[in-house]
Amino acid sequence: SMMTGSRLNRSVLFVLLSLPLFIYYYCQRLSSQSVNGMHSVQDMSKYHYLNSTGSTSNRYSGQLSSSSGCLNQNLAKDNVTLPNVLLIGVQKSGTSSLASWMRRVGICMSEVQPGEPSHYEKEAHYFDYFNTTGKKRKYDFDHSKIYARRFAHCCTGQSKTKSEILAMDATPATVLFPKSVRITFDSVDPTGELAKRAKFMIILREPISRELSFYNHYAYECRKKVQSAHMDTSGHNDTKSIKCSAKLWDSKMRRVKTFSEFMEDNTLINSRFAPEPDPLGRSSWRNMNRGLYADFLREWFELFDREQILVLSQEELVSDEGSFLNRVHSFLGLDSSIGNFHLKQVNAKDDGHKVKEVLCSDQEKLDQIFDPLNEDLYRLLEENSGPPMEQRPFQKFVKRNCTVEDG
């Protein structure tokens, strides 16, 4: 009996001594499973960014298909409604045409607020607020709610469990502000799940052609202002009252700059990478040419999962609209019944002064900047494959013809 009791005591003692070790290994296993299944809190930086470089094999299919309410509002504080699709750029690459198509097929757009121009339906201009107002924005939850209110109408009359609703902001300057976008989503849902379910599209265009199109667009707007300027007593246009962008307007000569002048004053100066300023700091804007595609995309790839970002080619949009739209169609999971819609040309402005070709001397200067940047882009996209419907390899840019004579 004493021997039996001694053995029992030793068994109990063994169990008691082994219990902490068992609990330790059990907790370690749970922790490992948690880290493998989702991003841990320790992986988040001071902005609550989530490291998105992990496996993506199971993420793509469920981003817009879970039952988390209209615009995933069940994941958000106060059930606010951020857009779940962002067309982030780039300017003068077909974003207006694609946004127009998406609106016609039923994608919900931003609600224009009193006093705003009509194009705010396409472009909410939340993240480039400083550029449009000259004032600093706070990227906190209270300001995120202001942004979210623009899309609240998308869920009006909809079941809160309906997850098929798509709402889009197509502000092309958004490409400049990946950190601000991430902070906004994480302020609404600190777990990062809401940010994981957003989808981003970007259209890339041959950089010199994009630069020329940018110039033509704003030169046209500037000439309109010249024509509508108040007439002075001698019957001539009062060019002193004209408010054109300094990028396009020669205030000393009181005329629109030539493309060569615009290139020297803007493109060549802003051709180096400038990191996005701290969204929580004092500065908001970054002076950087929009044609530095690889540099922008690296920032987005670091903050969002690669399969959340569909990179599109403007050249494919022009040469093979069907394939281009099929990629968008598949990426967003759109209904097959909308396949007969076609793109419409938007912003086709020509007052007879449109520059059709750049000078060959100017193109040589621009080639020195953009050729190596384009090669960097091709390598980046090859090494970082995107969603399955994305063009692979990415279609290399085709350069336009140049002219040896001015005009």
Side-chain angles (χ1 to χ4, degrees):
S1 176
M2 290 181 62
M3 291 181 63
T4 303
S6 176
R7 289 173 182 173
L8 180 62
N9 289 337
R10 285 199 298 269
S11 298
V12 171
L13 182 61
F14 176 78
V15 170
L16 291 175
L17 291 174
S18 302
L19 186 59
L21 190 62
F22 172 76
I23 294 174
Y24 171 78
Y25 281 112
Y26 181 73
C27 292
Q28 286 291 99
R29 184 175 180 181
L30 286 179
S31 175
S32 175
Q33 289 174 344
S34 175
V35 170
N36 290 334
M38 66 181 210
H39 298 286
S40 65
V41 175
Q42 287 77 8
D43 288 335
M44 300 173 73
S45 74
K46 64 178 180 177
Y47 303 121
H48 306 294
Y49 302 151
L50 296 178
N51 181 0
S52 59
T53 58
S55 173
T56 63
S57 58
N58 296 322
R59 294 177 186 167
Y60 176 78
S61 60
Q63 285 170 351
L64 292 179
S65 60
S66 68
S67 57
S68 54
C70 178
L71 298 184
N72 298 307
Q73 61 185 171
N74 293 348
L75 299 174
K77 294 179 185 178
D78 297 348
N79 295 122
V80 301
T81 49
L82 291 179
N84 51 5
V85 179
L86 278 77
L87 178 55
I88 62 175
V90 293
Q91 192 175 22
K92 309 311 299 177
S93 296
T95 58
S96 293
S97 293
L98 180 57
S100 176
W101 177 83
M102 293 179 71
R103 182 175 58 80
R104 285 187 291 126
V105 301
I107 309 299
C108 187
M109 311 293 279
S110 169
E111 185 173 42
V112 179
Q113 304 300 305
E116 292 179 344
S118 60
H119 70 264
Y120 270 54
E121 180 187 20
K122 172 207 169 202
E123 308 173 12
H125 288 287
Y126 178 77
F127 301 105
D128 64 338
Y129 178 82
F130 180 85
N131 187 48
T132 56
T133 67
K135 299 178 182 178
K136 180 78 174 76
R137 179 184 294 287
K138 294 181 180 179
Y139 291 98
D140 54 21
F141 179 59
D142 288 337
H143 285 80
S144 297
K145 287 194 292 185
I146 297 174
Y147 182 46
R149 280 200 291 267
R150 291 181 172 275
F151 302 95
H153 70 284
C154 299
C155 295
T156 302
Q158 302 288 350
S159 169
K160 288 190 177 181
T161 60
K162 189 173 183 180
S163 59
E164 301 85 53
I165 302 298
L166 298 180
M168 183 180 73
D169 178 5
T171 307
T174 301
V175 69
L176 296 167
F177 307 106
K179 290 180 182 178
S180 301
V181 173
R182 184 71 207 216
I183 286 177
T184 297
F185 274 87
D186 286 348
S187 73
V188 170
D189 173 27
T191 71
E193 186 63 30
L194 189 65
K196 288 182 185 178
R197 301 192 183 198
K199 292 201 172 186
F200 306 92
M201 297 186 294
I202 182 169
I203 309 174
L204 304 182
R205 182 180 185 179
E206 192 280 311
I208 299 177
S209 298
R210 194 210 70 85
E211 204 72 8
L212 181 61
S213 181
F214 179 92
Y215 167 81
N216 279 323
H217 176 84
Y218 286 98
Y220 172 87
E221 296 295 331
C222 205
R223 285 191 293 269
K224 277 205 314 183
K225 293 180 180 180
V226 171
Q227 293 172 359
S228 61
H230 297 294
M231 306 296 279
D232 62 21
T233 54
S234 62
H236 295 92
N237 283 342
D238 179 14
T239 54
K240 292 181 181 180
S241 65
I242 295 173
K243 295 181 180 179
C244 283
S245 169
K247 294 181 179 180
L248 272 297
W249 183 249
D250 187 328
S251 58
K252 184 177 181 180
M253 302 299 294
R254 296 182 185 175
R255 62 168 176 79
V256 176
K257 294 178 182 178
T258 65
F259 177 77
S260 297
E261 293 168 335
F262 165 80
M263 178 195 71
E264 295 285 349
D265 294 345
N266 298 279
T267 312
L268 300 183
I269 292 176
N270 297 323
S271 61
R272 292 186 178 182
F273 174 69
E276 180 184 359
D278 184 348
L280 304 180
R282 293 184 177 182
S283 179
S284 297
W285 194 247
R286 65 198 297 196
N287 290 317
M288 180 175 166
N289 186 274
R290 309 288 174 86
L292 278 69
Y293 302 141
D295 292 320
F296 286 130
L297 287 175
R298 281 192 182 91
E299 295 180 313
W300 285 91
F301 294 171
E302 288 175 0
L303 298 175
F304 296 94
D305 191 277
R306 176 65 179 91
E307 292 204 1
Q308 291 178 252
I309 304 170
L310 178 65
V311 179
L312 296 161
S313 164
Q314 187 266 351
E315 292 185 350
E316 184 181 54
L317 183 156
V318 174
S319 63
D320 188 358
E321 180 185 292
S323 294
F324 179 92
L325 291 179
N326 280 338
R327 299 184 199 283
V328 176
H329 195 285
S330 177
F331 182 63
L332 299 180
L334 300 178
D335 191 279
S336 59
S337 63
I338 67 172
N340 293 328
F341 284 85
H342 298 284
L343 291 174
K344 292 182 179 179
Q345 188 175 17
V346 182
N347 292 335
K349 301 173 180 177
D350 189 356
D351 59 358
H353 297 281
K354 188 174 184 178
V355 179
K356 301 295 197 307
E357 296 176 342
V358 302
L359 293 175
C360 292
S361 57
D362 289 341
Q363 181 150 310
E364 289 178 6
K365 295 177 183 178
L366 294 171
D367 282 342
Q368 292 178 14
I369 294 173
F370 290 119
D371 281 354
L373 293 173
N374 293 340
E375 291 301 322
D376 188 24
L377 170 69
Y378 306 145
R379 285 193 300 271
L380 176 68
L381 295 179
E382 184 64 27
E383 295 168 0
N384 297 270
S385 58
M389 71 292 300
E390 187 174 283
Q391 189 180 42
R392 186 175 175 89
F394 182 79
Q395 184 174 345
K396 291 192 174 184
F397 300 125
V398 177
K399 296 180 183 179
R400 296 169 56 123
N401 295 328
C402 59
T403 181
V404 294
E405 296 183 4
D406 196 351

